[in-house]
Coordinates of all heavy atoms in Angstrom, one line a residue:
L18 N 3.9 9.6 -9.7 CA 3.2 9.8 -10.9 C 2.6 11.1 -11.0 O 2.7 12.0 -12.0 CB 2.2 8.7 -11.2 CG 1.4 8.7 -12.5 CD1 2.4 8.3 -13.5 CD2 0.3 7.8 -12.5
V19 N 1.9 11.6 -10.0 CA 1.3 12.8 -9.8 C 2.2 14.0 -10.0 O 2.2 14.9 -10.7 CB 0.4 13.1 -8.5 CG1 -0.1 14.4 -8.5 CG2 -0.7 12.0 -8.6
L20 N 3.3 13.7 -9.3 CA 4.4 14.7 -9.2 C 5.0 14.9 -10.7 O 5.2 16.0 -11.2 CB 5.6 14.3 -8.3 CG 6.6 15.3 -8.0 CD1 6.1 16.4 -7.1 CD2 7.9 14.7 -7.4
I21 N 5.2 13.7 -11.4 CA 5.8 13.8 -12.7 C 4.8 14.6 -13.6 O 5.2 15.4 -14.4 CB 6.1 12.4 -13.3 CG1 7.2 11.9 -12.6 CG2 6.2 12.4 -14.8 CD1 7.5 10.4 -12.9
L22 N 3.5 14.2 -13.6 CA 2.4 14.9 -14.3 C 2.4 16.5 -14.0 O 2.4 17.3 -14.9 CB 1.1 14.3 -13.9 CG 0.8 13.0 -14.7 CD1 -0.6 12.5 -14.4 CD2 0.8 13.2 -16.2
L23 N 2.6 16.8 -12.8 CA 2.5 18.1 -12.4 C 3.7 19.0 -13.0 O 3.5 20.0 -13.5 CB 2.5 18.4 -10.9 CG 1.2 18.2 -10.1 CD1 1.3 18.2 -8.6 CD2 0.2 19.1 -10.6
V24 N 4.8 18.3 -12.9 CA 6.0 19.0 -13.4 C 6.0 19.0 -14.9 O 6.4 20.0 -15.5 CB 7.2 18.3 -12.8 CG1 8.6 18.8 -13.4 CG2 7.3 18.4 -11.3
A25 N 5.7 17.8 -15.4 CA 5.8 17.8 -17.0 C 4.8 18.5 -17.7 O 5.1 18.9 -18.9 CB 5.9 16.2 -17.3
T26 N 3.6 18.6 -17.2 CA 2.5 19.2 -18.0 C 2.9 20.5 -18.5 O 2.8 20.9 -19.7 CB 1.1 19.1 -17.4 OG1 1.0 17.6 -17.0 CG2 0.1 19.4 -18.2
P27 N 3.2 21.5 -17.5 CA 3.4 22.9 -18.0 C 4.6 23.0 -18.9 O 4.6 23.8 -19.9 CB 3.7 23.6 -16.7 CG 3.4 22.7 -15.6 CD 3.3 21.3 -16.1
L28 N 5.6 22.0 -18.7 CA 6.8 22.1 -19.6 C 6.4 21.7 -20.9 O 6.9 22.3 -21.9 CB 7.9 21.1 -18.9 CG 8.7 21.6 -17.8 CD1 9.7 20.5 -17.4 CD2 9.5 22.9 -18.2
A29 N 5.6 20.7 -21.0 CA 5.2 20.2 -22.3 C 4.4 21.3 -23.1 O 4.5 21.5 -24.2 CB 4.4 18.9 -22.2
L30 N 3.7 22.1 -22.3 CA 2.9 23.1 -23.0 C 3.6 24.3 -23.3 O 3.5 24.8 -24.4 CB 1.8 23.6 -21.9 CG 0.5 22.6 -21.7 CD1 -0.4 23.2 -20.6 CD2 -0.2 22.3 -23.0
A31 N 4.7 24.6 -22.6 CA 5.5 25.8 -22.8 C 6.6 25.4 -23.8 O 7.7 25.8 -23.6 CB 6.0 26.3 -21.5
Q32 N 6.3 24.8 -24.8 CA 7.4 24.4 -25.8 C 6.7 24.6 -27.2 O 5.6 24.3 -27.6 CB 7.7 23.0 -25.6 CG 9.2 22.9 -25.1 CD 9.5 21.5 -24.9 OE1 8.9 20.6 -25.3 NE2 10.4 21.3 -23.9
T33 N 7.8 25.2 -28.1 CA 7.4 25.2 -29.5 C 8.0 23.9 -30.1 O 8.8 23.3 -29.6 CB 8.2 26.4 -30.1 OG1 9.5 26.4 -29.6 CG2 7.4 27.7 -29.6
K34 N 7.6 23.6 -31.3 CA 8.1 22.4 -32.1 C 8.1 22.8 -33.6 O 7.3 23.4 -34.1 CB 7.3 21.2 -31.7 CG 5.8 21.3 -32.1 CD 5.2 19.8 -32.0 CE 3.9 19.8 -32.7 NZ 3.1 18.6 -32.6
V35 N 9.1 22.1 -34.3 CA 9.3 22.2 -35.6 C 7.9 21.6 -36.3 O 7.6 20.5 -36.0 CB 10.5 21.6 -36.1 CG1 10.6 21.6 -37.7 CG2 11.7 22.3 -35.6
G36 N 7.4 22.2 -37.1 CA 6.2 21.7 -38.0 C 4.8 21.8 -37.2 O 3.9 21.0 -37.5
F37 N 4.7 22.7 -36.3 CA 3.5 22.9 -35.5 C 2.2 23.0 -36.5 O 1.3 22.5 -36.0 CB 3.6 24.2 -34.6 CG 2.5 24.4 -33.7 CD1 2.3 23.7 -32.5 CD2 1.5 25.3 -34.0 CE1 1.3 23.9 -31.5 CE2 0.5 25.6 -33.2 CZ 0.3 24.9 -32.0
Y38 N 2.5 23.6 -37.5 CA 1.3 23.9 -38.4 C 1.1 22.9 -39.6 O 0.4 23.1 -40.5 CB 1.3 25.4 -39.1 CG 1.3 26.5 -38.0 CD1 2.4 27.2 -37.7 CD2 0.2 26.6 -37.3 CE1 2.4 28.2 -36.8 CE2 0.2 27.7 -36.3 CZ 1.3 28.5 -36.1 OH 1.3 29.5 -35.1
S39 N 1.9 21.7 -39.5 CA 1.9 20.8 -40.6 C 0.6 20.2 -40.9 O 0.2 20.0 -42.1 CB 3.0 19.8 -40.4 OG 2.6 19.0 -39.3
R40 N -0.3 20.2 -39.9 CA -1.6 19.7 -40.2 C -2.7 20.8 -40.2 O -3.4 20.9 -41.0 CB -2.1 18.6 -39.0 CG -1.5 17.4 -39.2 CD -2.3 16.2 -38.6 NE -1.3 15.0 -38.7 CZ -0.8 14.7 -37.5 NH1 -0.8 15.3 -36.5 NH2 0.1 13.6 -37.6
S41 N -2.5 21.8 -39.2 CA -3.4 22.8 -39.2 C -3.4 23.8 -40.3 O -4.5 24.5 -40.5 CB -3.4 23.5 -37.7 OG -2.1 24.0 -37.6
C42 N -2.3 24.0 -40.8 CA -2.1 25.0 -41.9 C -0.8 24.7 -42.6 O 0.2 25.3 -42.5 CB -2.0 26.4 -41.3 SG -2.1 27.7 -42.7
P43 N -0.9 23.6 -43.6 CA 0.3 23.0 -44.1 C 1.1 24.1 -44.9 O 2.2 24.1 -45.1 CB -0.2 22.0 -45.0 CG -1.7 21.7 -44.6 CD -2.1 22.9 -43.9
K44 N 0.4 25.2 -45.5 CA 1.1 26.1 -46.3 C 1.6 27.3 -45.5 O 2.2 28.2 -46.1 CB 0.1 26.7 -47.3 CG -0.3 25.8 -48.4 CD -0.8 26.4 -49.7 CE -1.0 25.5 -50.9 NZ -2.1 25.9 -51.6
A45 N 1.5 27.3 -44.2 CA 1.9 28.4 -43.4 C 3.3 28.8 -43.7 O 3.5 30.1 -44.0 CB 1.8 28.1 -41.9
E46 N 4.2 27.9 -43.6 CA 5.6 28.3 -43.8 C 6.0 28.8 -45.2 O 6.8 29.7 -45.3 CB 6.6 27.2 -43.3 CG 6.4 26.9 -41.9 CD 7.7 26.4 -41.2 OE1 8.7 26.5 -41.8 OE2 7.6 25.8 -40.0
S47 N 5.3 28.2 -46.2 CA 5.6 28.6 -47.5 C 4.9 30.0 -48.0 O 5.6 30.8 -48.6 CB 5.2 27.5 -48.6 OG 3.8 27.2 -48.4
I48 N 3.9 30.2 -47.3 CA 3.2 31.5 -47.5 C 4.2 32.6 -46.9 O 4.4 33.8 -47.5 CB 1.9 31.5 -46.9 CG1 0.9 30.7 -47.7 CG2 1.3 33.1 -46.8 CD1 -0.5 30.6 -47.2
V49 N 4.6 32.3 -45.7 CA 5.6 33.5 -45.1 C 6.8 33.6 -46.0 O 7.2 34.7 -46.3 CB 6.0 33.0 -43.7 CG1 7.0 34.0 -43.1 CG2 4.8 32.9 -42.7
Q50 N 7.5 32.5 -46.4 CA 8.6 32.5 -47.1 C 8.4 33.3 -48.5 O 9.2 34.2 -48.9 CB 9.1 31.1 -47.5 CG 10.6 31.1 -48.1 CD 11.0 29.7 -48.6 OE1 10.1 28.9 -48.9 NE2 12.3 29.5 -48.4
A51 N 7.3 33.0 -49.2 CA 7.1 33.6 -50.4 C 6.9 35.1 -50.2 O 7.4 35.9 -51.1 CB 5.8 33.0 -51.2
T52 N 6.1 35.5 -49.2 CA 5.9 36.9 -48.7 C 7.2 37.7 -48.5 O 7.4 38.8 -49.0 CB 5.0 37.0 -47.7 OG1 3.8 36.3 -47.9 CG2 4.5 38.5 -47.4
V53 N 8.0 37.0 -47.8 CA 9.4 37.7 -47.5 C 10.3 37.9 -48.7 O 10.7 38.9 -48.9 CB 10.1 36.8 -46.4 CG1 11.5 37.3 -46.3 CG2 9.4 36.9 -45.1
K54 N 10.2 36.8 -49.5 CA 11.0 36.9 -50.8 C 10.6 38.0 -51.7 O 11.4 38.8 -52.2 CB 10.8 35.6 -51.6 CG 11.9 34.5 -51.3 CD 11.6 33.3 -52.3 CE 12.4 32.3 -51.9 NZ 13.4 31.6 -52.8
K55 N 9.3 38.1 -51.8 CA 8.6 39.2 -52.7 C 9.1 40.6 -52.1 O 9.6 41.5 -52.9 CB 7.2 39.1 -52.7 CG 6.4 40.1 -53.4 CD 4.9 39.8 -53.2 CE 4.4 40.4 -51.8 NZ 3.0 40.3 -51.7
H56 N 9.1 40.8 -50.8 CA 9.4 42.1 -50.2 C 10.8 42.4 -50.3 O 11.2 43.5 -50.5 CB 8.8 42.2 -48.8 CG 7.3 42.5 -48.7 ND1 6.7 43.7 -48.6 CD2 6.2 41.6 -48.7 CE1 5.4 43.6 -48.6 NE2 5.1 42.3 -48.7
V57 N 11.7 41.4 -49.9 CA 13.1 41.6 -50.0 C 13.6 42.0 -51.4 O 14.4 42.9 -51.6 CB 13.9 40.4 -49.3 CG1 15.4 40.6 -49.7 CG2 13.6 40.1 -47.9
K58 N 13.0 41.3 -52.4 CA 13.3 41.6 -53.8 C 13.1 43.1 -54.2 O 13.8 43.7 -54.8 CB 12.5 40.7 -54.7 CG 13.2 40.3 -55.9 CD 12.5 39.2 -56.7 CE 13.0 39.1 -58.1 NZ 12.1 38.2 -59.0
S59 N 11.9 43.7 -53.6 CA 11.6 45.0 -54.0 C 12.2 46.0 -53.0 O 12.4 47.1 -53.4 CB 10.0 45.1 -54.1 OG 9.6 45.2 -52.8
N60 N 12.6 45.5 -51.9 CA 13.3 46.5 -50.9 C 14.3 45.7 -50.0 O 13.8 45.1 -48.9 CB 12.3 47.3 -50.1 CG 12.9 48.2 -49.1 OD1 14.2 48.3 -49.0 ND2 12.2 48.7 -48.2
S61 N 15.5 45.6 -50.3 CA 16.4 44.7 -49.6 C 16.5 45.2 -48.2 O 16.9 44.3 -47.3 CB 17.8 44.7 -50.2 OG 18.3 46.0 -50.2
A62 N 16.2 46.4 -47.7 CA 16.4 46.8 -46.3 C 15.3 46.1 -45.4 O 15.5 46.2 -44.2 CB 16.1 48.3 -46.3
V63 N 14.3 45.5 -45.9 CA 13.4 44.8 -45.1 C 14.0 43.5 -44.5 O 13.6 43.1 -43.5 CB 12.1 44.4 -45.7 CG1 11.4 45.7 -46.4 CG2 12.2 43.3 -46.8
A64 N 15.1 43.0 -45.1 CA 15.8 41.8 -44.5 C 16.3 42.1 -43.1 O 15.9 41.5 -42.1 CB 16.8 41.2 -45.5
P65 N 17.4 43.1 -43.1 CA 17.7 43.5 -41.8 C 16.7 44.0 -40.9 O 16.7 43.7 -39.6 CB 18.9 44.5 -42.1 CG 18.6 45.0 -43.4 CD 18.0 43.8 -44.2
G66 N 15.7 44.6 -41.4 CA 14.6 45.2 -40.6 C 13.9 44.1 -39.8 O 13.6 44.2 -38.7
L67 N 13.6 43.0 -40.5 CA 12.9 41.9 -39.9 C 13.7 41.1 -38.9 O 13.1 40.7 -37.9 CB 12.4 40.9 -40.9 CG 11.2 41.4 -41.8 CD1 11.0 40.5 -43.1 CD2 10.0 41.6 -41.1
L68 N 15.0 41.1 -39.2 CA 15.8 40.4 -38.2 C 15.9 41.2 -36.9 O 15.8 40.7 -35.8 CB 17.3 40.3 -38.8 CG 18.3 39.7 -37.8 CD1 18.0 38.3 -37.3 CD2 19.7 39.6 -38.4
R69 N 16.1 42.5 -37.0 CA 16.2 43.3 -35.8 C 14.8 43.3 -35.1 O 14.8 43.3 -33.8 CB 16.5 44.8 -36.2 CG 16.7 45.7 -35.0 CD 17.3 47.1 -35.3 NE 17.7 47.7 -34.1 CZ 17.4 48.9 -33.8 NH1 16.7 49.6 -34.6 NH2 17.8 49.5 -32.7
M70 N 13.7 43.2 -35.8 CA 12.3 43.4 -35.3 C 12.1 42.1 -34.3 O 11.7 42.2 -33.3 CB 11.3 43.3 -36.3 CG 9.9 43.6 -35.8 SD 8.7 43.6 -37.1 CE 9.1 45.2 -37.9
V71 N 12.6 41.0 -34.8 CA 12.4 39.7 -33.9 C 13.2 39.8 -32.6 O 12.7 39.4 -31.5 CB 12.5 38.3 -34.7 CG1 14.0 38.0 -34.8 CG2 11.8 37.3 -34.0
F72 N 14.4 40.3 -32.8 CA 15.1 40.5 -31.5 C 14.5 41.5 -30.5 O 14.4 41.3 -29.4 CB 16.6 41.1 -32.0 CG 17.4 41.8 -31.0 CD1 17.6 41.3 -29.8 CD2 17.9 43.0 -31.4 CE1 18.5 42.1 -28.9 CE2 18.7 43.8 -30.4 CZ 18.9 43.3 -29.2
H73 N 14.0 42.6 -31.1 CA 13.3 43.5 -30.1 C 12.1 43.0 -29.7 O 11.6 43.3 -28.6 CB 13.1 44.8 -30.9 CG 14.4 45.7 -30.9 ND1 14.3 47.1 -30.9 CD2 15.7 45.4 -31.0 CE1 15.7 47.5 -30.9 NE2 16.5 46.5 -31.1
D74 N 11.4 42.1 -30.5 CA 10.1 41.4 -30.0 C 10.4 40.5 -28.7 O 9.9 40.7 -27.6 CB 9.4 40.7 -31.0 CG 8.1 40.1 -30.5 OD1 7.5 40.7 -29.7 OD2 7.8 39.0 -30.9
C75 N 11.5 39.7 -29.0 CA 11.8 38.6 -28.0 C 12.3 39.1 -26.7 O 12.2 38.6 -25.6 CB 12.8 37.6 -28.6 SG 11.9 36.7 -30.0
F76 N 13.0 40.2 -26.7 CA 13.5 40.8 -25.5 C 12.6 41.5 -24.5 O 12.8 41.8 -23.4 CB 14.7 41.8 -25.8 CG 16.0 41.0 -25.8 CD1 16.4 40.0 -26.8 CD2 17.1 41.4 -24.9 CE1 17.6 39.4 -26.8 CE2 18.4 40.8 -24.9 CZ 18.6 39.7 -25.8
V77 N 11.3 41.7 -25.1 CA 10.3 42.4 -24.3 C 9.0 41.5 -24.3 O 8.4 41.4 -25.3 CB 10.0 43.8 -24.9 CG1 9.0 44.6 -24.0 CG2 11.2 44.6 -25.1
H78 N 8.7 41.0 -23.1 CA 7.6 40.1 -22.9 C 7.7 38.8 -23.8 O 6.8 38.2 -24.0 CB 6.3 40.9 -23.4 CG 5.8 41.8 -22.4 ND1 5.5 41.5 -21.1 CD2 5.6 43.1 -22.5 CE1 5.1 42.6 -20.4 NE2 5.2 43.7 -21.3
G79 N 8.9 38.4 -24.0 CA 9.1 37.1 -24.8 C 8.7 37.4 -26.3 O 8.2 38.4 -26.7
C80 N 8.9 36.4 -27.1 CA 8.5 36.3 -28.4 C 7.0 36.1 -28.7 O 6.5 35.1 -29.0 CB 9.2 35.2 -29.3 SG 11.0 35.1 -28.9
D81 N 6.4 37.3 -28.6 CA 4.9 37.2 -28.5 C 4.2 38.3 -29.5 O 3.0 38.5 -29.3 CB 4.3 37.3 -27.1 CG 4.5 38.7 -26.5 OD1 5.3 39.4 -27.1 OD2 3.9 39.1 -25.4
A82 N 5.0 38.8 -30.4 CA 4.6 39.8 -31.2 C 4.0 41.0 -30.6 O 3.2 41.8 -31.2 CB 3.5 39.1 -32.3
S83 N 4.5 41.3 -29.5 CA 4.1 42.5 -28.7 C 4.5 43.8 -29.4 O 4.0 44.9 -29.3 CB 4.5 42.6 -27.3 OG 5.9 42.2 -27.2
I84 N 5.7 43.6 -30.2 CA 6.3 44.8 -30.9 C 5.2 45.2 -32.0 O 5.5 46.4 -32.4 CB 7.6 44.3 -31.5 CG1 8.3 45.6 -32.2 CG2 7.5 43.3 -32.5 CD1 8.8 46.7 -31.2
L85 N 4.3 44.4 -32.5 CA 3.5 44.7 -33.6 C 2.3 45.5 -33.2 O 1.6 46.1 -34.1 CB 3.1 43.4 -34.3 CG 4.2 42.5 -34.8 CD1 3.7 41.2 -35.5 CD2 5.1 43.2 -35.8
I86 N 2.0 45.6 -31.9 CA 0.8 46.1 -31.6 C 0.8 47.7 -31.6 O 1.8 48.3 -31.2 CB 0.3 45.7 -30.1 CG1 0.2 44.1 -30.1 CG2 -0.8 46.4 -29.6 CD1 0.0 43.6 -28.6
D87 N -0.3 48.3 -32.2 CA -0.3 49.7 -32.3 C -1.0 50.3 -31.0 O -1.7 49.7 -30.4 CB -1.3 50.0 -33.5 CG -0.6 50.1 -34.8 OD1 0.6 50.0 -34.8 OD2 -1.3 49.9 -35.9
G88 N -0.6 51.5 -30.8 CA -1.1 52.2 -29.5 C -0.2 53.4 -29.1 O 0.9 53.3 -29.4
S89 N -0.8 54.4 -28.5 CA 0.1 55.5 -28.2 C 1.2 55.3 -27.1 O 2.2 56.0 -27.2 CB -0.9 56.7 -27.7 OG -1.6 56.2 -26.7
N90 N 1.1 54.3 -26.4 CA 2.1 53.8 -25.4 C 2.7 52.5 -25.7 O 3.2 51.8 -24.9 CB 1.6 53.8 -23.9 CG 1.1 55.3 -23.6 OD1 1.8 56.2 -23.8 ND2 -0.1 55.4 -23.0
A91 N 2.4 52.0 -26.9 CA 2.9 50.6 -27.2 C 4.4 50.6 -27.4 O 5.1 51.6 -27.6 CB 2.3 50.1 -28.5
E92 N 4.9 49.4 -27.4 CA 6.5 49.1 -27.5 C 7.0 49.8 -28.7 O 8.2 50.4 -28.6 CB 6.8 47.7 -27.7 CG 6.8 46.9 -26.3 CD 6.8 45.3 -26.6 OE1 7.5 44.8 -27.5 OE2 6.3 44.6 -25.8
K93 N 6.3 49.8 -29.8 CA 6.8 50.4 -31.0 C 7.1 51.9 -30.9 O 7.8 52.5 -31.8 CB 6.1 50.0 -32.2 CG 4.6 50.5 -32.3 CD 3.9 50.3 -33.6 CE 3.8 48.7 -34.1 NZ 2.8 48.7 -35.3
T94 N 6.5 52.5 -29.9 CA 6.7 54.0 -29.8 C 7.9 54.3 -28.9 O 8.3 55.6 -28.7 CB 5.5 54.7 -29.1 OG1 5.5 54.2 -27.7 CG2 4.2 54.3 -29.8
A95 N 8.6 53.3 -28.3 CA 9.7 53.5 -27.5 C 10.9 53.9 -28.4 O 11.1 53.3 -29.4 CB 10.0 52.4 -26.7
P96 N 11.8 54.8 -27.9 CA 13.0 55.1 -28.7 C 13.8 54.0 -29.4 O 14.0 54.2 -30.6 CB 13.9 55.9 -27.7 CG 13.0 56.4 -26.7 CD 11.9 55.5 -26.5
P97 N 14.1 53.0 -28.8 CA 14.9 51.9 -29.5 C 14.2 51.3 -30.6 O 14.8 50.8 -31.5 CB 15.2 50.9 -28.4 CG 14.7 51.4 -27.1 CD 13.8 52.5 -27.4
N98 N 12.8 51.5 -30.7 CA 12.0 50.8 -31.7 C 11.6 51.8 -32.8 O 11.0 51.3 -33.8 CB 10.8 50.2 -31.0 CG 11.2 49.1 -30.2 OD1 12.2 48.3 -30.5 ND2 10.4 48.7 -29.2
L99 N 11.9 53.0 -32.7 CA 11.4 54.0 -33.6 C 11.8 53.7 -35.1 O 11.1 54.1 -36.0 CB 11.8 55.4 -33.2 CG 11.1 55.9 -32.0 CD1 11.5 57.3 -31.6 CD2 9.6 55.9 -32.2
L100 N 12.9 53.2 -35.3 CA 13.4 53.0 -36.7 C 13.3 51.5 -37.2 O 13.7 51.2 -38.3 CB 14.9 53.4 -36.7 CG 15.2 55.0 -36.5 CD1 16.6 55.2 -36.6 CD2 14.4 55.8 -37.6
L101 N 12.5 50.7 -36.4 CA 12.3 49.3 -36.9 C 11.5 49.4 -38.2 O 10.6 50.3 -38.4 CB 11.4 48.6 -35.9 CG 12.1 48.1 -34.7 CD1 11.2 47.3 -33.7 CD2 13.4 47.3 -35.0
R102 N 11.7 48.4 -39.1 CA 11.0 48.5 -40.3 C 10.7 47.0 -40.7 O 11.4 46.0 -40.3 CB 11.8 49.1 -41.5 CG 13.3 48.9 -41.5 CD 14.1 50.0 -42.2 NE 15.4 49.6 -42.2 CZ 16.2 50.2 -43.1 NH1 15.8 51.1 -44.0 NH2 17.5 49.9 -43.1
G103 N 9.7 46.9 -41.6 CA 9.2 45.6 -42.1 C 7.9 45.2 -41.5 O 7.4 44.1 -41.8
Y104 N 7.1 46.1 -40.7 CA 5.9 45.8 -40.3 C 4.9 45.3 -41.4 O 4.0 44.4 -41.2 CB 5.3 47.0 -39.5 CG 6.0 47.4 -38.3 CD1 6.7 48.7 -38.2 CD2 5.8 46.6 -37.1 CE1 7.3 49.0 -37.1 CE2 6.6 47.1 -35.9 CZ 7.3 48.2 -35.9 OH 7.9 48.7 -34.8
D105 N 5.0 46.0 -42.6 CA 4.1 45.8 -43.6 C 4.3 44.3 -44.2 O 3.3 43.7 -44.7 CB 4.3 46.8 -44.7 CG 5.8 46.9 -45.2 OD1 6.6 46.8 -44.3 OD2 6.0 46.9 -46.4
V106 N 5.5 43.7 -44.0 CA 5.7 42.4 -44.5 C 5.0 41.4 -43.7 O 4.3 40.5 -44.1 CB 7.2 42.1 -44.4 CG1 7.5 40.7 -45.0 CG2 8.1 43.1 -45.2

Side-chain angles (χ1 to χ4, degrees):
L18 187 70
V19 170
L20 192 73
I21 287 171
L22 283 175
L23 279 175
V24 172
T26 308
L28 281 181
L30 287 176
Q32 245 174 28
T33 50
K34 63 169 190 182
V35 172
F37 182 82
Y38 297 112
S39 59
R40 286 206 192 97
S41 58
C42 190
K44 286 196 176 149
E46 297 210 14
S47 59
I48 289 175
V49 173
Q50 188 188 33
T52 308
V53 169
K54 264 187 194 231
K55 178 184 76 180
H56 283 267
V57 172
K58 212 173 171 190
S59 70
N60 176 10
S61 61
V63 306
L67 291 169
L68 177 58
R69 186 170 189 234
M70 188 181 287
V71 79
F72 157 53
H73 282 214
D74 182 38
C75 291
F76 267 61
V77 182
H78 287 297
C80 311
D81 68 347
S83 51
I84 186 67
L85 303 177
I86 296 173
D87 281 342
S89 49
N90 296 313
E92 280 173 35
K93 58 166 69 161
T94 69
N98 291 329
L99 291 179
L100 295 176
L101 286 181
R102 39 200 185 162
Y104 294 109
D105 54 322
V106 182

